[in-house]
Short mmCIF file of all heavy atoms in Angstrom, two decimals:
data_model
loop_
_atom_site.label_atom_id
_atom_site.label_comp_id
_atom_site.label_asym_id
_atom_site.label_seq_id
_atom_site.Cartn_x
_atom_site.Cartn_y
_atom_site.Cartn_z
N SER A 1 -6.84 62.68 -26.55
CA SER A 1 -5.54 62.74 -27.20
C SER A 1 -5.70 62.60 -28.71
O SER A 1 -6.77 62.26 -29.21
CB SER A 1 -4.62 61.65 -26.68
OG SER A 1 -5.06 60.40 -27.16
N SER A 2 -4.61 62.86 -29.41
CA SER A 2 -4.64 62.81 -30.87
C SER A 2 -3.34 62.25 -31.40
O SER A 2 -2.27 62.47 -30.84
CB SER A 2 -4.84 64.23 -31.42
OG SER A 2 -4.68 64.25 -32.83
N GLY A 3 -3.45 61.56 -32.51
CA GLY A 3 -2.28 61.14 -33.25
C GLY A 3 -1.84 62.26 -34.18
O GLY A 3 -2.41 63.35 -34.18
N ILE A 4 -0.84 61.98 -35.00
CA ILE A 4 -0.34 63.00 -35.92
C ILE A 4 -0.09 62.42 -37.29
O ILE A 4 0.01 61.20 -37.46
CB ILE A 4 0.99 63.62 -35.41
CG1 ILE A 4 2.03 62.52 -35.18
CG2 ILE A 4 0.77 64.45 -34.17
CD1 ILE A 4 3.42 63.03 -34.90
N VAL A 5 -0.01 63.30 -38.29
CA VAL A 5 0.46 62.97 -39.63
C VAL A 5 1.56 63.96 -39.96
O VAL A 5 1.57 65.09 -39.46
CB VAL A 5 -0.67 63.02 -40.70
CG1 VAL A 5 -1.68 61.92 -40.46
CG2 VAL A 5 -1.33 64.37 -40.74
N GLY A 6 2.49 63.55 -40.80
CA GLY A 6 3.55 64.44 -41.24
C GLY A 6 3.10 65.22 -42.46
O GLY A 6 2.28 64.75 -43.25
N LEU A 7 3.64 66.41 -42.62
CA LEU A 7 3.34 67.23 -43.79
C LEU A 7 4.62 67.43 -44.58
O LEU A 7 5.67 67.76 -44.02
CB LEU A 7 2.77 68.60 -43.38
CG LEU A 7 1.46 68.58 -42.61
CD1 LEU A 7 1.05 70.00 -42.22
CD2 LEU A 7 0.36 67.92 -43.41
N THR A 8 4.53 67.21 -45.89
CA THR A 8 5.68 67.36 -46.78
C THR A 8 5.24 67.99 -48.08
O THR A 8 4.04 68.07 -48.37
CB THR A 8 6.36 65.99 -47.02
OG1 THR A 8 7.57 66.18 -47.72
CG2 THR A 8 5.45 65.04 -47.75
N LEU A 9 6.17 68.47 -48.85
CA LEU A 9 5.86 69.04 -50.17
C LEU A 9 6.15 68.01 -51.25
O LEU A 9 7.25 67.47 -51.34
CB LEU A 9 6.70 70.29 -50.44
CG LEU A 9 6.29 71.56 -49.72
CD1 LEU A 9 7.28 72.67 -49.97
CD2 LEU A 9 4.90 71.99 -50.13
N VAL A 10 5.14 67.75 -52.08
CA VAL A 10 5.30 66.86 -53.23
C VAL A 10 4.87 67.66 -54.45
O VAL A 10 3.70 68.02 -54.59
CB VAL A 10 4.45 65.57 -53.08
CG1 VAL A 10 4.57 64.72 -54.34
CG2 VAL A 10 4.86 64.80 -51.85
N ASN A 11 5.83 67.97 -55.31
CA ASN A 11 5.57 68.79 -56.50
C ASN A 11 4.89 70.11 -56.13
O ASN A 11 3.96 70.55 -56.80
CB ASN A 11 4.73 68.02 -57.53
CG ASN A 11 5.45 66.78 -58.03
OD1 ASN A 11 6.67 66.78 -58.15
ND2 ASN A 11 4.69 65.73 -58.30
N GLY A 12 5.33 70.72 -55.06
CA GLY A 12 4.79 72.01 -54.64
C GLY A 12 3.46 71.95 -53.93
O GLY A 12 2.88 72.98 -53.60
N VAL A 13 2.95 70.75 -53.66
CA VAL A 13 1.66 70.58 -52.99
C VAL A 13 1.91 69.98 -51.60
O VAL A 13 2.65 69.00 -51.46
CB VAL A 13 0.73 69.65 -53.80
CG1 VAL A 13 -0.59 69.42 -53.07
CG2 VAL A 13 0.49 70.22 -55.18
N VAL A 14 1.29 70.58 -50.57
CA VAL A 14 1.41 70.05 -49.21
C VAL A 14 0.66 68.72 -49.16
O VAL A 14 -0.51 68.63 -49.50
CB VAL A 14 0.84 71.03 -48.17
CG1 VAL A 14 0.86 70.42 -46.78
CG2 VAL A 14 1.61 72.34 -48.18
N THR A 15 1.37 67.67 -48.72
CA THR A 15 0.82 66.32 -48.71
C THR A 15 1.01 65.71 -47.34
O THR A 15 2.05 65.89 -46.70
CB THR A 15 1.55 65.46 -49.77
OG1 THR A 15 1.50 66.13 -51.02
CG2 THR A 15 0.92 64.09 -49.88
N GLN A 16 -0.01 64.97 -46.88
CA GLN A 16 0.08 64.27 -45.60
C GLN A 16 0.75 62.92 -45.81
O GLN A 16 0.46 62.22 -46.77
CB GLN A 16 -1.31 64.05 -45.00
CG GLN A 16 -2.00 65.31 -44.61
CD GLN A 16 -3.35 65.05 -43.96
OE1 GLN A 16 -3.72 63.91 -43.68
NE2 GLN A 16 -4.08 66.12 -43.71
N VAL A 17 1.66 62.57 -44.86
CA VAL A 17 2.32 61.26 -44.90
C VAL A 17 2.24 60.65 -43.51
O VAL A 17 2.20 61.36 -42.51
CB VAL A 17 3.79 61.37 -45.36
CG1 VAL A 17 3.89 61.81 -46.80
CG2 VAL A 17 4.58 62.27 -44.46
N ALA A 18 2.21 59.34 -43.46
CA ALA A 18 2.16 58.65 -42.17
C ALA A 18 3.49 58.83 -41.44
O ALA A 18 4.55 58.90 -42.06
CB ALA A 18 1.86 57.17 -42.38
N VAL A 19 3.42 58.88 -40.13
CA VAL A 19 4.62 58.99 -39.30
C VAL A 19 4.97 57.58 -38.84
O VAL A 19 4.20 56.95 -38.12
CB VAL A 19 4.38 59.93 -38.09
CG1 VAL A 19 5.61 59.98 -37.21
CG2 VAL A 19 3.99 61.30 -38.57
N GLY A 20 6.12 57.09 -39.25
CA GLY A 20 6.51 55.72 -38.93
C GLY A 20 7.48 55.63 -37.78
O GLY A 20 7.56 56.53 -36.94
N GLY A 21 8.26 54.56 -37.78
CA GLY A 21 9.20 54.32 -36.69
C GLY A 21 10.51 55.07 -36.83
O GLY A 21 11.30 55.12 -35.90
N ALA A 22 10.77 55.64 -38.00
CA ALA A 22 12.01 56.41 -38.20
C ALA A 22 11.64 57.76 -38.81
O ALA A 22 10.63 57.88 -39.50
CB ALA A 22 12.94 55.64 -39.13
N PRO A 23 12.45 58.78 -38.56
CA PRO A 23 12.11 60.09 -39.10
C PRO A 23 12.20 60.12 -40.62
O PRO A 23 13.08 59.51 -41.21
CB PRO A 23 13.13 61.03 -38.46
CG PRO A 23 14.21 60.17 -37.91
CD PRO A 23 13.64 58.81 -37.74
N ASP A 24 11.29 60.82 -41.24
CA ASP A 24 11.28 61.03 -42.68
C ASP A 24 11.92 62.39 -42.94
O ASP A 24 11.41 63.41 -42.49
CB ASP A 24 9.84 60.99 -43.19
CG ASP A 24 9.74 61.15 -44.70
OD1 ASP A 24 10.74 61.57 -45.33
OD2 ASP A 24 8.66 60.88 -45.25
N PRO A 25 13.05 62.46 -43.67
CA PRO A 25 13.72 63.74 -43.87
C PRO A 25 12.90 64.74 -44.67
O PRO A 25 13.19 65.93 -44.66
CB PRO A 25 15.01 63.36 -44.61
CG PRO A 25 14.77 62.01 -45.17
CD PRO A 25 13.74 61.35 -44.31
N ASN A 26 11.85 64.26 -45.35
CA ASN A 26 11.01 65.17 -46.14
C ASN A 26 9.92 65.85 -45.33
O ASN A 26 9.29 66.78 -45.81
CB ASN A 26 10.39 64.41 -47.32
CG ASN A 26 11.45 63.87 -48.24
OD1 ASN A 26 12.42 64.55 -48.55
ND2 ASN A 26 11.28 62.62 -48.66
N VAL A 27 9.65 65.36 -44.10
CA VAL A 27 8.59 65.95 -43.28
C VAL A 27 9.06 67.31 -42.79
O VAL A 27 10.13 67.46 -42.22
CB VAL A 27 8.22 65.02 -42.10
CG1 VAL A 27 7.29 65.73 -41.12
CG2 VAL A 27 7.58 63.76 -42.62
N ARG A 28 8.24 68.32 -43.02
CA ARG A 28 8.56 69.69 -42.62
C ARG A 28 7.73 70.15 -41.42
O ARG A 28 8.07 71.13 -40.77
CB ARG A 28 8.35 70.65 -43.79
CG ARG A 28 9.20 70.35 -44.96
CD ARG A 28 10.66 70.65 -44.61
NE ARG A 28 11.54 70.26 -45.68
CZ ARG A 28 12.47 69.34 -45.58
NH1 ARG A 28 12.63 68.69 -44.45
NH2 ARG A 28 13.25 69.04 -46.58
N ALA A 29 6.63 69.46 -41.14
CA ALA A 29 5.77 69.83 -40.01
C ALA A 29 4.89 68.64 -39.67
O ALA A 29 4.83 67.67 -40.43
CB ALA A 29 4.91 71.05 -40.36
N TYR A 30 4.21 68.73 -38.52
CA TYR A 30 3.27 67.69 -38.10
C TYR A 30 1.91 68.32 -37.91
O TYR A 30 1.78 69.48 -37.52
CB TYR A 30 3.73 67.03 -36.80
CG TYR A 30 5.03 66.28 -36.96
CD1 TYR A 30 6.22 66.80 -36.47
CD2 TYR A 30 5.06 65.05 -37.60
CE1 TYR A 30 7.41 66.12 -36.62
CE2 TYR A 30 6.25 64.36 -37.75
CZ TYR A 30 7.42 64.91 -37.26
OH TYR A 30 8.59 64.23 -37.42
N LEU A 31 0.87 67.53 -38.18
CA LEU A 31 -0.50 67.99 -38.03
C LEU A 31 -1.24 67.02 -37.13
O LEU A 31 -1.21 65.80 -37.35
CB LEU A 31 -1.18 68.05 -39.41
CG LEU A 31 -2.65 68.45 -39.43
CD1 LEU A 31 -2.81 69.91 -39.02
CD2 LEU A 31 -3.23 68.23 -40.83
N ALA A 32 -1.90 67.55 -36.09
CA ALA A 32 -2.70 66.70 -35.21
C ALA A 32 -3.95 66.25 -35.95
O ALA A 32 -4.60 67.05 -36.61
CB ALA A 32 -3.09 67.48 -33.95
N THR A 33 -4.28 64.96 -35.84
CA THR A 33 -5.49 64.47 -36.49
C THR A 33 -6.74 64.98 -35.78
O THR A 33 -7.80 65.05 -36.38
CB THR A 33 -5.50 62.93 -36.53
OG1 THR A 33 -5.32 62.43 -35.20
CG2 THR A 33 -4.38 62.41 -37.42
N ASP A 34 -6.63 65.36 -34.51
CA ASP A 34 -7.73 66.00 -33.77
C ASP A 34 -7.16 67.23 -33.06
O ASP A 34 -6.61 67.12 -31.97
CB ASP A 34 -8.32 65.03 -32.75
CG ASP A 34 -9.44 65.64 -31.93
OD1 ASP A 34 -9.83 66.81 -32.18
OD2 ASP A 34 -9.93 64.96 -31.00
N PRO A 35 -7.28 68.41 -33.67
CA PRO A 35 -6.68 69.61 -33.08
C PRO A 35 -7.35 70.08 -31.79
O PRO A 35 -6.84 70.95 -31.11
CB PRO A 35 -6.81 70.66 -34.18
CG PRO A 35 -7.88 70.16 -35.07
CD PRO A 35 -7.90 68.67 -34.95
N THR A 36 -8.48 69.49 -31.42
CA THR A 36 -9.16 69.88 -30.18
C THR A 36 -8.72 69.04 -28.99
O THR A 36 -9.18 69.27 -27.87
CB THR A 36 -10.69 69.78 -30.33
OG1 THR A 36 -11.04 68.41 -30.57
CG2 THR A 36 -11.19 70.65 -31.48
#
């Protein structure tokens, strides 16, 4: 299994953010930490 990180735009740059207990309105997608 794999955890995830959120992806958001910060000054036009895709940035990873931790996924917490509440949704972050800036998260536009999720990325698996282990895609396999």
Side-chain angles (χ1 to χ4, degrees):
S1 71
S2 172
I4 56 170
V5 292
L7 298 178
T8 188
L9 284 175
V10 176
N11 298 326
V13 177
V14 175
T15 307
Q16 294 183 7
V17 294
V19 177
D24 182 345
N26 298 318
V27 171
R28 299 291 175 243
Y30 295 104
L31 177 68
T33 55
D34 179 4
T36 63

